[in-house]
Amino acid sequence: MSDVIQLSNFIAGNWQPSLCEHWIENISPATGEHIANIPCSTDEDIDLAVEAAIDAADEWAQLSLKERADWLERIAGALEERADEIAQLESLDTGKPITLARNVDAARSVANFRFFAEQGREFESEIFEMSDATNRVLYKPVGVAGLITPWNLPLYLLSWKVAPALLMGNTIVAKPSEMTPMTASLLAEVMEEVDLPRGVFNLVHGNGLDAGAPLTSHPDVDLISFTGGTTTGREVAKSASSGFKKLSLELGGKNATIIREDVDLESMIPGIVRASFLNQGQVCLCGSRILIHESIYDSFIDAFLNAVSDMIVGDPSDEDTELGALISAAHRDKVMAYIDLAEEEGGDILCGGGAPVGIPDAFEHGFWISPTVIDGLSPDSRCATEEIFGPVVTLHPFADDSEAIEIANMTDYGLAGSIWTQDAEAGSQMAEKIESGMIWVNCWLHRDLRVPFGGVKNSGVGREGGRWSLSFFSEAINICVKR
Ligand code: NAD
């Protein structure tokens, strides 16, 4: 118990427990051990944090964009100095492999602040001339931004919101996932270290109903940026709508990976495996339905299974590990329930389907599932259309491009997808017909931070990324001066 980390809220520059002094246990996904306690905050803590954000708002809003960009640069520098620590904490808290935590989570968290600092320096307000007047567009802060984030990419996604929100002059109340609180606390430490003015960034830990819901309904919160599940997103939208808050919802996905008959399998298989199983399949963009041209169905399965069976599952701190643990016992059980359902629906489990064999004793109480590949399911079955969010993919044959598109669009989600082909032009044409916010051709999660990011259908509302983030985190005001 002595090694259990005690985390606090960070409100108006002070570290404090929740006013009710209740705690939530934070569990290591890899070992099942109790590793930290976080405040189980309630509406009273949210009230305090919102008050602090309001108090800090005027001073922060008065800084120029260039001055706020300099703040982002300072934060990026301080985070970069702690990149190893970020990777260690993220791996401990999520159960993901340390290499992934280092190369993706830690690196991107720093990059998010640098990128938006650069965006701030390059930002130019528009001028629209008329024959007798000049229109000048001004980008004002929205006010207090409520930022709610999930557990799969904790600091990566939080920094993706914090950086543009700060840049555009908003003050912040952040509520990270109760399952992965560690790096949000580290970010608050960094804000303290660089002397960010008190109250500009506030952090409230806690669960969704007790801390998240009061943030979304708070009358003095002007904007909500939410990333998480579609069911939660619906609640957030209802709660935020009564106060006409600005709202961005980045929600779930059930993305298709389309393998055309002309694919160069040998060179593309590693990318397809990565799209299927990165972060144990717990990335909203992962391709969990693989649609394969019928003429290469069998050869694809052989090559894919070969590559999947080579993946190293185990100790997240080992540099060679490729797949770690799932986030929680409840999530592991949910994913296993889908694997059971797949069998009931007539699916054939080609590999995986349970805990990895030979996992070391230290991890026997963790939450593990081997990469699982399922064949033989109808493309409109529940397992092939609902978000599982784990290391599970289903395989489906198609006869031609139009059937692949029809299957790809057979879900209520519309977040992402990828197409693998030697005919990049045909792939690009096909991408236009897929109902998703983002499609990659011959790659996956190849991110340029300037492009729009977001989903259609049940995968979300609004876009973040590049100038879309700057626009979302600000109010565009037009001033028309007649000559
Ligand atoms: P979740 O919806 O359970 O929780 C997300 C956050 O919302 C957490 O901080 C949680 O405490 C909070 N929350 C829960 N109930 C709330 C409520 N009623 N009001 C306000 N806040 C509430 O999601 P999760 O399980 O943490 O994350 C996994 C989901 O996130 C998956 O569906 C995944 O696809 C999605 N996701 C989407 C993106 C994207 O960019 N589209 C990125 C990552 C994850």
Side-chain angles (χ1 to χ4, degrees), residues 149-151 175 178 208 212 226-229 232 250-252 284 387 453:
T149 44
W151 47 259
K175 207 302 282 169
E178 59 276 28
F226 171 84
T227 300
T232 317
E250 302 286 356
L251 308 177
C284 54
E387 187 184 47
F453 183 101

Side-chain angles (χ1 to χ4, degrees), residues 126-201:
E126 299 94 337
I127 303 274
F128 297 97
E129 293 290 357
M130 300 167 75
S131 58
D132 58 349
T134 299
N135 293 282
R136 183 165 60 90
V137 183
L138 201 65
Y139 289 84
K140 286 191 174 174
V142 185
V144 176
L147 310 181
I148 301 179
T149 44
W151 47 259
N152 62 331
L153 295 160
L155 189 57
Y156 172 126
L157 290 173
L158 182 60
S159 53
W160 182 238
K161 299 181 189 302
V162 169
L166 288 182
L167 178 71
M168 299 315 282
N170 306 283
T171 54
I172 290 172
V173 178
K175 207 302 282 169
S177 170
E178 59 276 28
M179 283 187 271
T180 52
M182 304 266 199
T183 50
S185 278
L186 183 146
L187 179 63
E189 286 170 17
V190 160
M191 300 300 190
E192 188 178 38
E193 217 173 286
V194 300
D195 269 334
L196 190 78
R198 285 167 176 261
V200 170
F201 174 84

Side-chain angles (χ1 to χ4, degrees), residues 147-153 157 160-161 175-179 206-216 226-233 235-236 239 249-253 282-285 327 331 334 387 389 413 415 438 453-455 459-460:
L147 310 181
I148 301 179
T149 44
W151 47 259
N152 62 331
L153 295 160
L157 290 173
W160 182 238
K161 299 181 189 302
K175 207 302 282 169
S177 170
E178 59 276 28
M179 283 187 271
N207 63 42
L209 285 183
D210 294 320
L215 180 59
T216 59
F226 171 84
T227 300
T230 295
T231 308
T232 317
E235 292 307 310
V236 169
S239 167
L249 299 170
E250 302 286 356
L251 308 177
Q282 301 169 131
V283 177
C284 54
L285 308 165
I327 189 67
H331 190 57
K334 176 192 147 182
E387 187 184 47
F389 213 56
Y413 293 103
L415 189 58
M438 296 159 278
F453 183 101
S459 289

Side-chain angles (χ1 to χ4, degrees), residues 331-408:
H331 190 57
R332 186 257 332 261
D333 294 348
K334 176 192 147 182
V335 175
M336 279 309 301
Y338 269 108
I339 295 173
D340 294 343
L341 175 66
E343 288 191 289
E344 281 166 35
E345 287 184 318
D348 187 8
I349 314 287
L350 302 184
C351 71
V357 180
I359 195 92
D361 289 353
F363 304 112
E364 68 182 340
H365 299 298
F367 318 124
W368 299 86
I369 298 181
S370 300
T372 300
V373 179
I374 305 174
D375 188 21
L377 286 175
S378 161
D380 63 358
S381 62
R382 284 188 54 201
C383 288
T385 53
E386 296 178 12
E387 187 184 47
I388 299 176
F389 213 56
V392 178
V393 295
T394 60
L395 309 179
H396 310 275
F398 66 83
D400 54 25
D401 283 358
S402 62
E403 193 187 11
I405 292 162
E406 190 188 328
I407 299 175

